[in-house]
Amino acid sequence: MTELEREIGHDEYDPIGTLALIAVYSAILVVMWLFMYFVEFLGNDLTVVGVIG
Amino acid sequence: MSAYVDQFPAEARIVRAAFWSSFIALGVGGLLGLVQVLHRTDVVRFMSGADYYTVLTLHGVLLAITFTIFFLVGIFTWAITTSLDRGLENLRFTWLWYGLMSVGTVLAAIPILAGFVGSVDMSASVLFTFYAPMQAHPLFYLGLTIFVVGTWLAGADWFRTWLVWKREHPDERIPLPTFMVLTTMLFWYLSSLGVALSILLFLLPWSLGIWEQVNALLTRTLFWYFGHAVVYFWLMPAYMMWYLMLPKISGGKLFSDPLARVVFVLFLILSTPTGIHHQYLDPGIAEGFKFIVMTNTFFLLLPSLLTAFTVVASMEHGARQRGGTGYFGWLKALPWRDPIFTGMALAGLMFAAAGFSGMINAGMNINYLVHNTFWVVGHFHLTVGTAVALTFMAASYWFIPQVTGKRLWNKSVALWQVLLWFVGMTFMSNAMHRAGLLGVPRRTAEPQYAGFEFEAGLGSVAELDAQIALGGTLLFVSVVLFLANVVMTAVGDRIDDLPDNEYADTLSGADDAPLVLDNLKLWTAIAVVLVILAYTLPLLSIIDRGGVFGPGGGAFPMVAESLRLVVVAAVDAGVIG
Amino acid sequence: MNIHTYEKLWLAAAMVLIVGFIATITYGSVGVGVAMIDDSEATLDPNDLGEDERFAEPRVEHVGDNEYEAYVVARQFIFQPNPIEVPAGSTVTFYVTSADVIHSFSIVGTNANTMVIPGEVATMTVEIDEPGEYGILCNEYCGAGHHDMEGLLIVHPEDEFDLEGEE
């Protein structure tokens, strides 16, 4: 289907680009999670609390 | 090797039929989507608010159920026959399940459509979730049941084909595509049982007047027992395409067959005992049950995170074989001019964003912030509306030539189509998420209120509405381009230089996978045990609190009185029950 | 089964992420004290709300120092009472039930948000500090007039608040 420049076998292939991309993704996830939880949610009005006994 | 239509002409016919059923649903559902988006945002309103809900019911049922499931039975049939290299056992049985699915769809659609006609005393504007005590016409429930039975028989068809193959190949590993189909069908059986019980034991008899009341919380819980797992029923075929197609189109091989199997096993065992996470804000369910379900739900992130790695690594393998280099430079070596690749890759990218908004939904207490807001609509238009729908459309550009024997009508139009979907969805979904954070509700015809306004921190509600209307319009144009392309392809001439019917080879193959992964009985047993653990106590508690038929309350039907009266009379006369 | 080192790394990182998310939620529950809507109230027959002393007359009641209870009925397509009036600086527990189909009771732009299911009573306690007005809406489709279902929560300055029927 496409012209391959080289054949890369299992043992010689390290998906370093994937690791880099996925590291960026998880960093974004963590930052956005913290922002959503602590700023958008806990910083919002009228949080439901346990019944005062 | 040759094209699928030459290898399996009879099976290609059934796949074609399933695809066309799916595409008709996509066309109608897409048009209704445009009508809704313009009504909600108050750009164009030509119908009443009440009709909006009829449109929404049809949009939800046609796209979430008909479009997705008809398409997936097509590619599952392809996957079984191609990877086992044998036809289905009995094509009359195959056409039977296809027929049941079609009849079920039509039966369910009739009462929904009748909702538009005031003079017909029949309606089913109950939305995709049909929560009791809102009541639809019995035909609606009956149609859904027949449709689901059709999918059950489809699964039986594939299992049967596999069992015959297994007798002839006792020592071979289950080919990966077949493995994916079988594990997906196993959890579909397990999860659709919930909605089947809800309909057959409660909703259908109740709509016929046999029961006077039902337990609203119980039927709702049974719905969500099915209602979350069904999203994986849509998603697994998309994953299958990412594992089987993307590596090959990228010019590489699937990074790991064993991990692909692990992912599907995890979905089999974890996708059902999570449904209560749609009910975090329901009264009548204890906080402890909600917490357990949340834990299951978060662990369900694992197979998706693993998929992200394996699929991207497979694409990277292709890119590097094509000369790509560097940490990120290899991305440039991917075949971005190929609509099949670009459509699926963009679908995967959007699914990564959907993973984030899904985590917020899944977070038990942060769910207060977004529950039933427009945020949720933004979320599932990224998942089923893009990860699944865009993958299916992109895959169609490969499948339609394979099952018709004809050349794709226009590759550039196809490329623009997938790009347009991505851009349209970026506008629409992002604005929906933001609107949800302001408290704008989902499933609401005219979210413009008399007594208050939504307060936007950044931008304004008008700006969000404009983005939603623009995005929705682009998406509709994209659907039209897609349908035009597949129709023009189908009416073209047969060619004989089609690419071969094949899927991605593996770097680490099935031989590396521990044998236990193929032990479907074991994984099914674990899945059943987990479901029993997760659901027994909540269901018993609901029944204990409110009774099997609930503490009381009437039905709120939109039902044909005449049919109801006949059944009530029959019950009184002792004919039934 | 050989798993590439990078994928093992990612597997470990993914587990850390998942456990971290669950830990955040647990902190919200245990540390901050965010409570979930639960099953603390018994069920009741939605046709007999008139015989229930809380819901026969939907209202706000003063039950303690700065503590109020609001008994709210959601029905196609209104909330009762409307408006709901409470003073600032109070703790309000909402008891919400439905007289007909499933609704929600959602105070717009806040975290106070619950489903309202016929036969069940949702309870939700919130602390209200500042005076102001909040919209209330139903975010679960409940029939042809769903989009007209709205209400108002008015939070009065503490010294200007008088509950009807109280001396």
Side-chain angles (χ1 to χ4, degrees), chain C residues 123-134:
Chain C
T123 60
M124 178 166 81
T125 301
V126 299
E127 282 157 9
I128 303 182
D129 301 328
E130 301 293 323
E133 273 190 19
Y134 297 94

Side-chain angles (χ1 to χ4, degrees), chain B residues 53 125 131 259 281-282 284 290 305 309-310 359 365 368 371-372 443-444 450-451 512 514 545 551 553 556, chain C residues 1 7 10 21 25 29 35-39 41 43 45 100 111 113 115 120 135 139-141 146-147 150:
Chain B
Y53 300 109
S125 303
Y131 294 138
L259 276 174
L281 303 193
D282 279 15
K290 293 174 178 173
L305 293 174
F309 191 99
T310 307
M359 280 157 36
N365 41 39
Y368 275 121
H371 188 84
N372 268 0
R443 299 183 147 181
T444 300
D512 286 337
R545 292 164 50 77
F556 294 82
Chain C
M1 177 153 146
E7 191 140 21
W10 173 236
F21 295 142
I25 304 287
S29 292
M36 295 311 293
I37 307 293
D38 64 10
D39 61 349
E41 294 296 305
T43 57
D45 184 340
D100 40 51
N111 295 334
N113 186 1
M115 300 305 297
E120 300 284 346
N139 66 20
E140 184 53 82
Y141 167 65
H146 165 56
H147 46 277
E150 61 173 290

Side-chain angles (χ1 to χ4, degrees), chain B residues 349-362:
Chain B
L349 180 62
M350 281 222 152
F351 193 60
F356 170 71
S357 63
M359 280 157 36
I360 303 296
N361 300 338

Side-chain angles (χ1 to χ4, degrees), chain B residues 315-397:
Chain B
M315 284 159 48
E316 184 187 350
H317 180 248
R320 295 207 186 275
Q321 291 201 134
R322 290 158 62 103
T325 51
Y327 282 101
F328 299 106
W330 56 274
L331 287 164
K332 285 181 295 193
L334 288 167
W336 292 106
R337 289 185 181 282
D338 182 341
I340 306 170
F341 172 82
T342 301
M344 288 194 201
L346 292 178
L349 180 62
M350 281 222 152
F351 193 60
F356 170 71
S357 63
M359 280 157 36
I360 303 296
N361 300 338
M364 185 173 75
N365 41 39
I366 195 174
N367 188 259
Y368 275 121
L369 180 65
V370 295
H371 188 84
N372 268 0
T373 68
F374 223 16
W375 167 285
V376 177
V377 185
H379 167 72
F380 66 69
H381 278 86
L382 292 181
T383 53
V384 66
T386 302
V388 176
L390 185 54
T391 298
F392 284 3
M393 288 189 277
S396 299
Y397 294 133

